[in-house]
Amino acid sequence: MRETDGRPYHHGDLHRVLVETALAMLATDQHWTFTLREVARQAGVSHGAPYKHFRDKGALLSQLAKIGFERLAAVMENALSPPDRPFRTRFLAAGEACIAFAQEQPGLYRLMFSMDADKAADPEVHDAAMTSFGILLRFLEDGQRTGVFRDSPLTAQATACWAQVHGLAMLMLDGQLTEQKVGPTPIPAALDILLAGLSS
């Protein structure tokens, strides 16, 4: 048994420790230029230990991206609950929650949508990403069924929502949503415009 960050772990927990260490490094530096060797050193294990669980750095990054999409899905589900609230309230809450998630975990968020998180090559990452997208699709479908949202192709509506919310998140992370450019409350204002376009 070895220790990392003062917490003992057994060999069976090595995967968890490596992932938690990499997430902490990602949160601190907000980029993923670290090597598996550096992750091992931070975790307090041998340089070769990560290869028992990850074939290469790309596999570790895919695992981090998967966790990111799982967290994003949880954020969306929480923002859209309970279902008896008005659709408008839930829609705005979900959009703002997704952007807040990006602000709180910028390194992880950027990784999730980067080429280094190859969703096509890793089915688990793809499935996690589609789960979060599916939450949006179901919400829009419910809105159409109840007459709140206009009757138009679901995937088109979902793509418009995804593009706008993701774009706002990235602009926020890059420091582009300044009051001088877009006013004092750009996110609520932009989400209101998006909602108006969806509404029947």
Side-chain angles (χ1 to χ4, degrees), residues 61-74:
L61 294 181
S62 291
Q63 180 69 29
L64 301 185
K66 173 177 174 285
I67 291 170
F69 281 113
E70 290 171 345
R71 290 180 178 179
L72 179 60

Side-chain angles (χ1 to χ4, degrees), residues 44-188:
V45 299
S46 68
H47 294 155
Y51 294 97
K52 297 176 182 177
H53 296 275
F54 302 102
R55 67 181 182 279
D56 53 25
K57 177 183 171 181
L60 174 58
L61 294 181
S62 291
Q63 180 69 29
L64 301 185
K66 173 177 174 285
I67 291 170
F69 281 113
E70 290 171 345
R71 290 180 178 179
L72 179 60
V75 164
M76 293 174 67
E77 291 278 21
N78 184 64
L80 292 173
S81 298
D84 57 351
R85 289 187 301 157
F87 272 86
R88 173 185 173 83
T89 301
R90 296 165 65 207
F91 178 88
L92 296 175
E96 292 182 355
C98 288
I99 294 168
F101 172 83
Q103 289 180 278
E104 292 162 6
Q105 304 183 66
L108 181 59
Y109 187 82
R110 289 183 189 277
L111 172 62
M112 289 160 56
F113 294 98
S114 74
M115 294 300 294
D116 291 325
D118 192 346
K119 292 177 280 296
D122 191 325
E124 290 189 356
V125 180
H126 175 267
D127 290 347
M130 290 306 296
T131 294
S132 59
F133 194 65
I135 293 168
L136 173 60
L137 284 171
R138 289 192 298 276
F139 176 73
L140 293 172
E141 185 176 28
D142 288 344
Q144 285 192 15
R145 186 166 51 249
T146 57
V148 175
F149 298 145
R150 65 174 60 187
D151 186 11
S152 58
L154 273 175
T155 52
Q157 287 188 344
T159 300
C161 293
W162 176 31
Q164 178 135 329
V165 171
H166 178 64
L168 287 168
M170 294 303 294
L171 287 170
M172 178 64 74
L173 293 185
D174 291 337
Q176 297 299 312
L177 295 183
T178 62
E179 183 171 353
Q180 182 180 11
K181 285 182 180 178
V182 291
T185 57
I187 291 174

Side-chain angles (χ1 to χ4, degrees), residues 20-36:
E20 289 180 354
T21 299
L23 283 170
M25 295 171 71
L26 184 60
T28 299
D29 299 332
Q30 298 186 17
H31 60 72
W32 49 96
T33 57
F34 53 74
T35 63
L36 282 180

